[in-house]
Amino acid sequence: MAGRKVLIVYAHQEPKSFNGSLKRVAVEELSKQGCSVMVSDLYAMQFEPRATRNDIVGCLHNSEEFNYGMETLEAYKRGGLSSDLIEEQKKVQEADLMIFQFPLYWFSMPAIMKGWMDRVLVPGFAHEFPNCYDSGLLKNKLALFSFTTGGSEEMYAKGGINGDIRYLLWPMQHGIMHFCGVKVLAPHICFAPEYVSEEKRKEILIAWAQRLRTLWNEEPIICSPEWYFK
Amino acid sequence: MAGRKVLIVYAHQEPKSFNGSLKRVAVEELSKQGCSVMVSDLYAMQFEPRATRNDIVGCLHNSEEFNYGMETLEAYKRGGLSSDLIEEQKKVQEADLMIFQFPLYWFSMPAIMKGWMDRVLVPGFAHEFPNCYDSGLLKNKLALFSFTTGGSEEMYAKGGINGDIRYLLWPMQHGIMHFCGVKVLAPHICFAPEYVSEEKRKEILIAWAQRLRTLWNEEPIICSPEWYFK
């Protein structure tokens, strides 16, 4: 949809990887629609994942005992967060949709992307009690987790050895995005692309482009335990 | 139990924090029992959470297209992982029990600890298909997730707004530890210590020391979807 703004937060070390291809397909397809696309290429940016005192410019609110949540809230309010965080927060603020593109590492996102969540979505900016969940400060935005797995679809089926893939989506979709008020679109999961033919990989990329064409008509998922654990 | 070896992987920026106190209590109590205690204080070590090419010393197996899993497997086999990873793997290898001590960040561990999982538990060392889950390469070890929350116990109850806390433990306990063959003891959860009295906080620390006294008699939890999602 022309005019919409999309932020792709991307975490893969290798541009030639399948995640790299998925990211490129999204940039191309969304640009073609007239969307304005921003990309945070975390490894290329050498994005800092560690939540430390360095995220606060100038004096601490309480220099006796460092509390990251409290210090980032205070720093956010006085404009005293480090410039890399302010930069990312601007992109989030502008975005109508955030796409997180990554290979699944240990039933979750890679640490570099978890660090983006830990450091960018600070209190005051993304949530501030009681403004969480449906009244989170990032409401009216959409998010979509797009990722590749090592394991097969069968392994992530309800009776599979890894358990239903919904289970591992819970912390990311409910615990992070829903908590900030963001509505979540159905995840886009590419199972085990390393183990399929080149032709099949091309089909997967085409399917992703096709989904993106009608993405703006999709309804968000119901972010509830009933949906995840039915 | 005298002679047992324990690795505490600890992620808090502030030694005076409640997590710092929980870590100190564990070191004291376990040492008193005659255990040998190793601590990986991740922020103090400035532990690197990013999984990159820097983790491989010397030439890559495939320099055309970087694949972290494949490169770390090959590097592990030839002793070519970076020294910080070899150091951590030695501690894991020695440990009978690993305690992960951290504040819950976004329904999960802080990025610096997720980076420890991503980078230390590489294929070849911690698992190698089909040696995963009950035949994972770290079998005969125990793990325990000990963490603090911002939210109250009610918020993490089954009908609570955050959902049953078991749900968010799934990726860590099943997806990481069980996958590597490690048996998991019941989590130790301190709900919202920031919002209780100093006296109550002391009681919580005493309760942790008391649990540690009989820890070696505990049976691991059943790491199955039925346990998590009942």
Side-chain angles (χ1 to χ4, degrees):
Chain A
M1 296 260 277
R4 299 277 178 105
K5 289 182 177 162
V6 181
L7 169 60
I8 302 178
V9 182
Y10 163 70
H12 202 289
Q13 307 90 346
E14 173 58 63
K16 292 181 200 159
S17 66
F18 197 68
N19 274 275
S21 300
L22 288 160
K23 187 257 289 173
R24 268 192 307 282
V25 163
V27 172
E28 283 167 20
E29 174 53 36
L30 293 164
S31 302
K32 212 187 286 173
Q33 293 175 21
C35 296
S36 135
V37 185
M38 305 168 275
V39 177
S40 289
D41 181 343
L42 300 181
Y43 287 104
M45 295 156 74
Q46 299 185 40
F47 188 80
E48 171 63 71
R50 291 165 286 207
T52 71
R53 194 257 173 265
N54 298 337
D55 292 350
I56 294 100
V57 177
C59 291
L60 293 176
H61 182 73
N62 176 2
S63 59
E64 290 297 307
E65 190 178 325
F66 183 75
N67 178 316
Y68 189 77
M70 198 245 284
E71 291 297 341
T72 50
L73 171 63
E74 295 296 332
Y76 175 75
K77 286 185 173 169
R78 65 170 174 83
L81 287 174
S82 62
S83 58
D84 60 334
L85 297 190
I86 292 175
E87 195 65 35
E88 292 305 299
Q89 289 177 345
K90 272 189 203 153
K91 297 180 198 168
V92 171
Q93 203 70 79
E94 285 190 20
D96 299 297
L97 165 67
M98 295 178 280
I99 296 177
F100 298 96
Q101 181 65 56
F102 58 99
L104 197 68
Y105 276 17
W106 291 121
F107 276 40
S108 183
M109 58 191 95
I112 198 169
M113 187 176 277
K114 181 56 167 52
W116 188 94
M117 305 287 173
D118 291 351
R119 298 177 62 235
V120 175
L121 304 177
V122 302
F125 171 68
H127 56 92
E128 190 172 2
F129 194 80
N131 290 120
C132 57
Y133 289 115
D134 291 344
S135 58
L137 301 178
L138 303 182
K139 58 180 179 288
N140 303 322
K141 296 183 189 298
L142 295 168
L144 189 166
F145 288 89
S146 173
F147 57 98
T148 60
T149 68
S152 67
E153 191 161 2
E154 293 67 39
M155 292 164 81
Y156 286 107
K158 192 157 186 177
I161 195 161
N162 293 343
D164 192 327
I165 198 143
R166 289 167 186 263
Y167 300 162
L168 64 84
L169 289 164
W170 173 253
M172 299 186 266
Q173 295 190 327
H174 180 74
I176 306 179
M177 288 300 136
H178 187 194
F179 189 84
C180 296
V182 178
K183 289 195 168 56
V184 179
L185 297 177
H188 200 81
I189 311 171
C190 299
F191 289 100
E194 287 189 50
Y195 304 106
V196 302
S197 66
E198 193 52 40
E199 200 182 343
K200 180 70 186 155
R201 272 198 291 277
K202 278 185 191 149
E203 285 172 27
I204 299 174
L205 294 175
I206 291 169
W208 176 221
Q210 270 170 343
R211 180 175 173 195
L212 290 168
R213 250 162 249 158
T214 54
L215 195 76
W216 302 102
N217 303 327
E218 290 186 16
E219 285 295 319
I221 62 167
I222 300 158
C223 245
S224 73
E226 291 71 31
W227 184 81
Y228 279 92
F229 307 115
K230 67 185 174 191
Chain B
M1 297 259 277
R4 298 278 178 106
K5 289 180 178 164
V6 181
L7 169 60
I8 302 178
V9 182
Y10 162 70
H12 202 289
Q13 306 90 346
E14 174 59 62
K16 291 181 201 157
S17 65
F18 198 67
N19 273 274
S21 300
L22 288 160
K23 186 257 292 174
R24 268 193 307 283
V25 163
V27 172
E28 283 167 20
E29 175 53 36
L30 293 164
S31 303
K32 213 187 288 174
Q33 293 175 20
C35 296
S36 133
V37 185
M38 305 167 275
V39 177
S40 289
D41 182 343
L42 299 181
Y43 287 103
M45 295 157 74
Q46 299 184 41
F47 188 80
E48 170 63 71
R50 291 164 288 206
T52 70
R53 193 257 175 268
N54 299 337
D55 293 350
I56 293 101
V57 176
C59 291
L60 293 177
H61 183 71
N62 176 2
S63 59
E64 289 298 306
E65 191 179 325
F66 183 75
N67 178 315
Y68 189 77
M70 198 245 284
E71 292 297 340
T72 49
L73 171 63
E74 294 296 331
Y76 175 74
K77 285 183 175 171
R78 67 172 171 81
L81 287 175
S82 61
S83 58
D84 60 334
L85 298 190
I86 292 175
E87 195 65 34
E88 292 306 299
Q89 289 177 345
K90 271 188 203 154
K91 295 180 199 168
V92 172
Q93 204 69 79
E94 283 190 22
D96 298 299
L97 165 67
M98 294 178 281
I99 296 177
F100 298 95
Q101 181 67 55
F102 58 99
L104 198 67
Y105 276 17
W106 290 119
F107 277 38
S108 183
M109 57 190 93
I112 199 169
M113 186 177 278
K114 180 58 167 51
W116 188 94
M117 305 288 174
D118 291 352
R119 297 177 63 235
V120 175
L121 305 177
V122 302
F125 171 69
H127 55 91
E128 190 173 1
F129 193 82
N131 290 120
C132 57
Y133 289 116
D134 291 345
S135 57
L137 301 178
L138 303 182
K139 57 181 179 290
N140 303 322
K141 295 184 189 298
L142 295 167
L144 190 166
F145 289 88
S146 173
F147 57 97
T148 59
T149 68
S152 67
E153 190 159 4
E154 293 67 39
M155 291 164 81
Y156 286 106
K158 192 158 188 178
I161 193 161
N162 294 342
D164 192 327
I165 198 145
R166 287 168 187 265
Y167 300 162
L168 65 84
L169 289 165
W170 173 253
M172 299 186 267
Q173 295 190 327
H174 180 73
I176 306 179
M177 287 300 136
H178 187 195
F179 188 85
C180 298
V182 178
K183 290 196 167 55
V184 179
L185 297 176
H188 200 82
I189 310 171
C190 298
F191 289 100
E194 287 188 49
Y195 304 105
V196 302
S197 66
E198 193 53 42
E199 200 182 343
K200 179 72 186 154
R201 273 198 292 276
K202 278 186 190 147
E203 286 172 26
I204 298 175
L205 293 175
I206 291 169
W208 176 221
Q210 271 170 344
R211 180 175 171 194
L212 289 169
R213 250 163 248 157
T214 54
L215 196 75
W216 303 102
N217 303 328
E218 290 186 17
E219 286 295 319
I221 62 167
I222 301 158
C223 243
S224 72
E226 290 72 30
W227 185 80
Y228 280 92
F229 306 115
K230 68 185 173 189

